[in-house]
Amino acid sequence: MEKCIDIQNLSFSYLSQKILNNCSLRLDKGRFCALIGENGAGKSTFLKNIAGLEVPDQGNIEFLGEKLSSDSITQKSKMIFITENLSFSSPLTIKKFIRSFKKLYPSWSQEMFDSIVNQRGIDLEKRFNDYSRGQKMQILLASYLSTGPKLILIDEVTSVLDIHAQKDFMKIFYGLVNEGSTVILATNILSEVAPYATDLCFIENGYIKFNVP
């Protein structure tokens, strides 16, 4: 199988505190990795380093066979990072906002976006801040998953969703994996990901203890 992401000896410190210690992880295309660990173990920081939101102290990250660069628009357009803290503000309704947003992504799938919002019964005629917390997350997921990402980084967002939305989005993630995308989902709830995950990665105190199929 062709590699999607190859992370070697990644370390990261915040001020004088070491958060990640020589973390390595390799995933081929079409894998669904459950990233587990206690709160504070380093899961979110690990994903942020992959997404380019944090700059590692050392280590190397290759994405689709090329060294990952925070300046590469092409690479960034093929990767998404969704976290509970992700948000935006716009005077436009979501329907109008999406008309502009989708132009930024050449692989945008209007079919997928329409399918998700229709399945979840989301009214697109409201502004983002007028939705509930769970609805906001569903809109963000629908928007970013429709960009045609090759690497999907999810940071414990399923706790924001109701049980029906959790199941629906897990199936969507799994469908994208079957089409060749790779998912890394940080979670503490193994039961929600167990039917879908192909790989299990355990991080503790900034160290990846094991990564196994």
Side-chain angles (χ1 to χ4, degrees), residues 31-32 80 82 112 116 141-142 145 152-154 157-158 161 165-185 192-193 196:
R31 306 297 290 182
F32 192 143
I80 61 170
I82 302 178
M112 168 166 279
I116 295 174
L141 284 165
L145 291 173
I152 302 165
L153 307 172
I154 309 289
V157 303
T158 51
L161 305 173
Q166 287 179 19
K167 292 180 178 179
D168 284 347
F169 278 104
M170 281 295 170
K171 292 176 182 177
I172 293 169
F173 297 154
Y174 191 63
L176 290 169
V177 165
N178 286 331
E179 293 174 4
S181 296
T182 298
V183 172
I184 305 177
L185 186 147
E192 69 177 7
V193 74
Y196 307 104

Side-chain angles (χ1 to χ4, degrees), residues 9-78:
N9 303 316
L10 191 72
S11 294
F12 176 80
S13 300
Y14 179 70
L15 299 179
S16 60
Q17 183 179 4
K18 198 82 166 180
I19 308 297
L20 300 175
N21 295 273
N22 295 315
C23 294
S24 297
L25 175 67
R26 171 180 169 170
L27 291 170
D28 290 336
K29 293 180 178 179
R31 306 297 290 182
F32 192 143
C33 178
L35 178 64
I36 63 170
E38 295 181 349
N39 292 336
K43 301 189 301 297
S44 296
T45 302
F46 187 57
L47 294 182
K48 287 179 181 178
N49 272 260
I50 300 172
L53 300 180
E54 302 283 9
V55 180
D57 301 332
Q58 66 177 45
N60 183 62
I61 303 176
E62 288 189 0
F63 176 47
L64 299 177
E66 297 181 356
K67 186 173 181 179
L68 188 61
S69 169
S70 59
D71 299 326
S72 174
I73 296 176
T74 301
Q75 288 181 323
K76 291 299 182 182
S77 70
K78 297 178 182 179

